[in-house]
Amino acid sequence: GAVVSQHPSRVICKSGTSVKIECRSLDFQATTMFWYRQFPKQSLMLMATSNEGSKATYEQGVEKDKFLINHASLTLSTLTVTSAHPEDSSFYICSARGDRTSSYEQYFGPGTRLTVT
Amino acid sequence: DAKTTQPPSMDCAEGRAANLPCNHSTISGNEYVYWYRQIHSQGPQYIIHGLKNNETNEMASLIITEDRKSSTLILPHATLRDTAVYYCIVYNTDKLIFGTGTRLQVFP
């Protein structure tokens, strides 16, 4: 299957700082990328959907000014957690999907574990 | 909201077939049934998907009932590495919404 990478795999930051997570599709062009969050022992929760070159669409209850998403190219999307607080500590997972002519399934990255101290 | 119902947990002996059921009684005609699994602290892994016919690939088989209201994922020879949370998702190529899944424990 297609490969999606995330960087970093884990990050620790101080409360009040911002942290950026990168998501890359390595062997296909991702017209759509998705960002999920997962708390311990819970399922994945979709945060937002982004199409290349467009503004992200956020799910209800997700603060768009806090979780900044940029999808500037067909292989890269970034999630920036601004002014992070301990309650933002979570496992963040991105997913990428190609267009209908290529890889239309959603493929997931390995996740980024964020710890805010 | 998730449109599927799965048992919260199942056990399976190594080498035996693991049959994971899923109910999706409100599925509509253009929605696919997708299965993903998530091994601890990793991103979800795509397994298989189908619309109305049974499907098989190198990982698993998917059996969908004729009325499409339920399906079963079959891992023919479970190994310890198949221990994971398995998610059944009804998907209309919009976005994947995860339910709580089935935690499959394969034991020696």
Side-chain angles (χ1 to χ4, degrees):
Chain A
V3 179
V4 177
S5 71
Q6 279 184 245
H7 178 79
S9 58
R10 54 178 68 231
V11 57
I12 301 172
C13 71
K14 292 186 183 296
S15 187
T17 63
S18 295
V19 60
K20 180 185 287 188
I21 302 169
E22 290 187 350
C23 176
R24 294 181 185 272
S25 57
L26 298 186
D27 51 3
F28 70 102
Q29 294 189 321
T31 51
T32 307
M33 286 191 171
F34 307 84
W35 286 94
Y36 293 80
R37 180 168 55 179
Q38 185 175 34
F39 293 108
K41 299 190 186 303
Q42 294 186 21
S43 186
L44 286 80
M45 185 195 80
L46 179 65
M47 299 174 69
T49 302
S50 73
N51 291 299
E52 185 261 340
S54 303
K55 288 186 178 180
T57 301
Y58 291 80
E59 295 296 305
Q60 192 172 7
V62 178
E63 301 174 60
K64 62 180 180 181
D65 294 330
K66 181 170 183 61
F67 299 99
L68 303 179
I69 291 172
N70 183 284
H71 189 172
S73 78
L74 285 172
T75 58
L76 173 64
S77 176
T78 59
L79 168 68
T80 301
V81 183
T82 63
S83 187
H85 289 101
E87 56 266 30
D88 298 323
S89 298
S90 188
F91 193 49
Y92 291 88
I93 307 169
C94 75
S95 175
R97 185 178 71 197
D99 61 29
R100 290 185 182 273
T101 64
S102 61
S103 176
Y104 206 64
E105 281 77 37
Q106 278 187 233
Y107 293 96
F108 287 81
T112 296
R113 187 161 302 282
L114 169 64
T115 303
V116 184
T117 61
Chain B
D1 292 331
K3 302 179 186 179
T4 62
T5 304
Q6 298 177 252
S9 64
M10 294 182 66
D11 290 337
C12 178
E14 190 177 20
R16 306 297 292 265
N19 297 288
L20 290 86
C22 179
N23 286 323
H24 32 79
S25 57
T26 60
I27 192 170
S28 60
N30 62 347
E31 290 180 318
Y32 290 75
V33 179
Y34 272 69
W35 284 83
Y36 281 79
R37 72 180 181 184
Q38 186 180 26
I39 296 169
H40 182 62
S41 294
Q42 297 182 23
Q45 177 189 23
Y46 165 79
I47 302 174
I48 198 167
H49 75 278
L51 184 62
K52 41 182 147 177
N53 297 324
N54 297 336
E55 302 287 344
T56 295
N57 62 20
E58 64 278 3
M59 289 183 69
S61 294
L62 174 60
I63 309 297
I64 303 174
T65 58
E66 195 167 336
D67 63 8
R68 303 213 318 127
K69 292 185 177 183
S70 65
S71 60
T72 302
L73 178 74
I74 301 172
L75 307 179
H77 306 285
T79 71
L80 298 178
R81 287 179 296 179
D82 292 323
T83 292
V85 179
Y86 287 76
Y87 295 98
C88 167
I89 303 168
V90 167
Y91 183 47
N92 65 356
T93 69
D94 178 19
K95 50 194 175 185
L96 287 171
I97 303 298
F98 286 77
T100 52
T102 295
R103 183 171 298 277
L104 175 68
Q105 178 70 53
V106 181
F107 58 91

